[in-house]
Amino acid sequence: MSNHTFVYATYIATTPEKLWEVLTSGEFTKKYFFGREVQSDWEEGAEVKYLRGNGELDVSGKVLNCEPYCNLSFTWIHAEDSTERSQPTIVTFELTPMDDTVKLTLIHENLLEVDYTVERDTFRGYNNGWPAILSNLKSYLETGKTLQAVQA
């Protein structure tokens, strides 16, 4: 099986500081990430957890790179993933300031073809999940509300 990379970019009317806070704080991820609460101290090598609303582990990983307001990278291991992998998937958030806007680029690496087709929760595969999550994040930062159509 070959590895694939999913890349998605969006432009958000916010500051790098506020976007960073929303990406790294469980208080905020619960609002736009379908109820998932992120937990980490964001030091390189530290554990990363995304917990479902009921406290169950959804995703775990380790911080690979953490440059506040610029770049955040960590491994991503879905709790229900039974696919054999030679290496874990890696999620990277790149923040690029552009005047009153921040370009947020998500890069999800080491995906297998099956990752694009496995049904999970309210969306199908990463190619639908990440755009829904990042659209929700953008809406939340720009309006204070999430998109009702993509709520879990």
Side-chain angles (χ1 to χ4, degrees), residues 118-136:
V118 174
E119 187 168 344
R120 294 207 175 113
D121 299 327
T122 61
F123 44 83
R124 195 166 174 78
Y126 293 113
N127 58 330
N128 290 321
W130 280 122
I133 292 162
L134 297 181
S135 292
N136 230 9

Side-chain angles (χ1 to χ4, degrees), residues 71-84:
N71 185 288
L72 180 62
S73 183
F74 49 94
T75 58
W76 178 277
I77 302 165
H78 196 275
E80 296 169 5
D81 189 358
S82 60
T83 306
E84 288 212 21

